[in-house]
Amino acid sequence: MSPATPTHDVIVIGLGGMGSAAAHHLSVRGARVLGLEKFGPVHQRGSSHGGSRVTRQSYFEDPAYVPLLLRAYELYEKLQQDTGRDIATLCGGVMVGRPDGRVVSGARLSAETWGLPHEMLDAREIRRRFPTLTPRDDEVALYEERAGLVRPENTVAAHLQCATRQGADLHFEEPVTRWEPFRGGVRVHTADDTYTAGQLVICPGAWAPGLLADLGVPFTIERQIMYWFQPTGGVGPFLPERHPIYVWEDEAGVQAYGFPSIDGPDLGVKVAFFRKGDVCTPETIDRTVHPHEAAMMADHMSRHIPLLPGRLLKASTCMYTTTPDEHFVITRHPAHPESVTVACGFSGHGFKFVPVVGEIVADLALDGTTGHPIGLFDPARITGPLGPAPAAAPVPGVRT
């Protein structure tokens, strides 16, 4: 097929957390945007659902994330103001564990590196301030007043709303079958039609291994489970003014996280393990939550929050798309740097960055560079400085 004049400025494949934010930021800048999504809007099949996600600035994963978090907080606040949706609740949070554990020591390093307001609490002070929590005597916590939660479904819906308001053309239930570069742009084929654009943005979530095999990054897809328990005695002690968000690392290095009760007594209190998931694919994931899995979660939480695992109300699966070092991939595609931008591999800790990733992706697609610090997210750290061998066009088998 001969080259064609692009009918859009940018095509965005995938309209979950990152793709919806990218569509918003691109359209705000005046780009003619086409968004393509395999499923319906704000669906439950990927990673951008579950009612709540932790947000925090004292970031134990790496201090390099903090500037992006500060910007994400600004953008979340603006999104909430622009749409009137319930997006973020800053109820405070604790990172709990042994002083030399990854969660506590890493959070403290980020807080001290960037001068973030925080307090260090010993076990007695944790119990006094937050009676729902029962740390061991050798455990401590970093308390961050600006920690809290963001709502994934509302965030995606808000970004889609803003993108549509700015003229973006968003297509749902339209899976992509393949894409190919040509001189002057890219061509994207779907089950329904063929489209062209000057730039392509790929935000594939758990579909990254198939969509972006030519990146050379060995993504792992993990099945994760979210649980909602009815606490013994009711949700009163777990309301946001009394109970913080938390990430809790035990003596074996197992991390669990949880939230206050934010959706009323019928939905109780949400908890989950951070990682500790089974390897799967989007096609093979077991969507059934089994009794032994719920029992394992309840047993774990009973040692930290004795009131919590009173009765299981519901449970739901989602997927982490994890890179070998658990850092993100945000880059111009090494094989197609003139026309393709990718954002993927968010490794279970990416949703709090959604609005700033949308801003970064818009920078890369429209300007070819960004002022945000994204060196940590270059896939060359995994694939080597030359990256994977360039893929021949067309690139086959690309699916959403």
Side-chain angles (χ1 to χ4, degrees), residues 317-349:
T317 59
C318 69
M319 291 178 284
Y320 287 0
T321 306
T322 302
T323 65
D325 61 7
E326 299 174 0
H327 295 307
F328 310 158
V329 173
I330 307 174
T331 187
R332 298 287 277 180
H333 196 303
H336 313 288
E338 70 289 341
S339 58
V340 182
T341 300
V342 300
C344 54
F346 290 96
S347 300
H349 62 110

Side-chain angles (χ1 to χ4, degrees), residues 47-202:
S47 305
S48 299
H49 62 281
S52 56
R53 290 288 188 273
V54 168
T55 190
R56 50 195 165 88
Q57 295 179 352
S58 300
Y59 215 61
F60 68 79
E61 286 84 349
D62 195 300
Y65 285 90
V66 173
L68 300 179
L69 285 162
L70 298 177
R71 178 58 176 160
Y73 270 54
E74 294 174 349
L75 291 171
Y76 269 122
E77 183 176 358
K78 186 176 189 306
L79 185 66
Q80 191 160 275
Q81 293 171 349
D82 289 347
T83 63
R85 294 179 182 267
D86 178 11
I87 303 289
T89 300
L90 301 183
C91 56
V94 286
M95 307 298 112
V96 187
R98 291 186 173 180
D100 59 351
R102 183 188 182 198
V103 167
V104 172
S105 65
R108 187 170 189 173
L109 175 61
S110 282
E112 292 176 347
T113 298
W114 291 98
L116 301 175
H118 69 285
E119 297 177 69
M120 298 304 302
L121 312 179
D122 63 16
R124 178 180 296 181
E125 183 64 8
I126 297 169
R127 298 185 200 110
R128 187 188 73 80
R129 290 203 197 182
F130 308 111
T132 50
L133 310 183
T134 59
R136 294 160 44 117
D137 288 342
D138 62 349
E139 291 181 316
V140 300
L142 181 144
Y143 172 69
E144 178 187 331
E145 186 177 12
R146 293 278 291 165
L149 60 97
V150 293
R151 292 184 173 272
E153 290 91 343
N154 288 1
T155 299
V156 173
H159 278 134
L160 295 176
Q161 174 187 337
C162 291
T164 301
R165 184 187 298 162
Q166 294 293 326
D169 185 14
L170 307 181
H171 293 197
F172 298 96
E173 307 289 349
E174 186 169 351
V176 170
T177 56
R178 64 188 177 98
W179 60 269
E180 62 206 20
F182 64 82
R183 183 175 297 177
V186 290
R187 185 178 292 109
V188 177
H189 304 267
T190 75
D192 299 333
D193 210 336
T194 298
Y195 308 95
T196 58
Q199 294 289 320
L200 175 64
V201 168
I202 305 177

Side-chain angles (χ1 to χ4, degrees), residues 235-247:
V235 300
F238 293 87
L239 295 176
E241 59 270 24
R242 301 176 183 176
H243 180 76
I245 65 93
Y246 58 87
V247 178

Side-chain angles (χ1 to χ4, degrees), residues 9 46 55 94 125 174-175 226 231 277 279-280 289 303 328 343 355 362 377:
D9 295 321
T55 190
V94 286
E125 183 64 8
E174 186 169 351
M226 302 170 283
V279 174
C280 67
V289 178
R303 289 177 270 132
F328 310 158
F377 312 136

